[in-house]
Amino acid sequence: MAQSAHCQTQEILSDPTFRQLASARAKLRWSLSIITLIMFFGFIALISTAQSALGANIAGSAIPVGLGLAFAMIVLVVILTGLYVQQSNSRFDPLNRALLEEFGQ
């Protein structure tokens, strides 16, 4: 029984569809993670180097520039999450269904 499960696992891991799914997911996940990390660490670096600029108000309002940037980062993270969900639904789900049909799970 254990040998059978090991053989099926090896078969799944060597399947081209599985490799394509795993590779595409990893590329997208790492890309979005790097963008998010650069954005957050960049904001922290900006806070430590340009405090007075971030404390200044946006022209014509009482909202500080730093708060506007923080809000923009939150919006961007939501957009990136939506991008991942859209890609998952349009690209990854069909590959996943094909694997499930092929291996009978």
Side-chain angles (χ1 to χ4, degrees):
M1 181 79 168
Q3 184 67 20
S4 174
H6 179 70
C7 289
Q8 187 176 22
T9 300
Q10 289 302 104
E11 186 180 351
I12 292 170
L13 291 175
S14 64
D15 186 78
T17 304
F18 177 79
R19 288 180 178 271
Q20 179 185 4
L21 175 64
S23 173
R25 274 186 168 165
K27 285 178 188 175
L28 182 60
R29 188 173 48 243
W30 279 109
S31 298
L32 296 177
S33 295
I34 289 170
I35 290 169
T36 303
L37 287 172
I38 288 171
M39 184 175 53
F40 280 110
F41 284 118
F43 186 67
I44 291 170
L46 191 61
I47 289 171
S48 67
T49 59
Q51 293 173 354
S52 60
L54 293 174
N57 289 341
I58 296 174
S61 74
I63 299 172
V65 172
L67 184 61
L69 285 175
F71 180 71
M73 285 181 14
I74 292 169
V75 170
L76 186 58
V77 168
V78 170
I79 290 170
L80 292 176
T81 302
L83 176 68
Y84 182 83
V85 169
Q86 186 272 331
Q87 289 293 307
S88 179
N89 291 341
S90 66
R91 287 179 47 204
F92 304 149
D93 285 353
L95 293 172
N96 193 38
R97 278 192 294 278
L99 285 169
L100 290 173
E101 288 175 9
E102 182 177 346
F103 293 103
Q105 296 292 322

